Amino acid sequence: MTDRDRPEVHMQRAIALSRMHMEAGDGGPFGAVVVRQGIVVGEGWNRVTSANDPTAHAEIMAIRDACRRLETFTLAGCDLYTSCEPCPMCLAATYWARIDRLYFANTRDDAASIGFDDAFLYGEIGKPLSVQAMPIQRILGAEARVVFDAWMAKDDKIPY
């Protein structure tokens, strides 16, 4: 087994990114790398505060970087290494990207202990829309459904 095939090597890179960019003031202490066949194909670190983007989490940024570099919207055949257990948004993005395997270092409880608590989000996800903390209301469903029907009829669609 070569160094590039050892999960610890890739996790060390994710952790190094988390420290380097936290110390540089880019955002919170989170880093991530996407690896395909032992080679890093995407890197990311938390840029929430530096980019003024609440979705600029390390995992999202690494997925975006890998997709850009590989010129694809699917990362099947890739693994994600992240310095912390992903939040619900990042976990969902990992599934949407079709990543094969996820490795993490710090846990969500570790993150909560330093002020990054995702428990509220995990709790909201399973609730019916009518009782979630943020008011959520469906409107114009029939109008929007017409576009979905057109998608289904589209001969040249690219499924994902």
Side-chain angles (χ1 to χ4, degrees):
M1 178 183 287
T2 66
D3 271 358
R4 73 179 201 171
D5 297 322
R6 291 182 41 236
E8 295 81 8
V9 170
H10 301 301
M11 185 59 75
Q12 287 168 343
R13 179 62 183 159
I15 294 167
L17 287 168
S18 73
R19 176 179 290 282
M20 180 182 355
H21 292 284
M22 176 210 46
E23 289 176 350
D26 290 333
F30 305 98
V33 295
V34 176
V35 175
R36 183 173 72 177
Q37 297 174 346
I39 299 168
V40 173
V41 295
E43 294 188 334
W45 51 89
N46 185 283
R47 296 181 190 173
V48 169
T49 56
S50 60
N52 294 319
D53 180 352
T55 68
H57 291 198
E59 299 90 340
I60 301 291
M61 302 308 289
I63 289 168
R64 289 175 181 166
D65 187 39
C67 287
R68 181 186 53 76
R69 287 188 200 189
L70 298 174
E71 298 181 341
T72 183
F73 59 84
T74 179
L75 296 175
C78 295
D79 298 332
L80 176 64
Y81 295 80
T82 180
S83 65
C84 188
E85 184 176 358
C87 73
M89 175 184 69
C90 293
L91 183 59
T94 302
Y95 278 106
W96 277 116
R98 307 297 192 259
I99 287 174
D100 287 2
R101 182 174 297 186
L102 169 69
Y103 296 89
F104 68 90
N106 289 312
T107 68
R108 68 173 89 165
D109 292 333
D110 295 330
S113 75
I114 63 164
F116 295 93
D117 192 352
D118 299 327
F120 171 77
L121 297 174
Y122 280 106
E124 285 293 288
I125 290 171
K127 292 180 182 176
L129 297 180
S130 62
V131 297
Q132 289 190 19
M134 178 176 51
I136 300 173
Q137 180 180 354
R138 182 178 186 213
I139 61 173
L140 299 180
E143 289 182 38
R145 182 62 204 198
V146 171
V147 180
F148 274 16
D149 292 342
W151 168 260
M152 287 303 296
K154 188 172 169 43
D155 291 331
D156 62 344
K157 67 180 169 269
I158 300 173
Y160 60 95

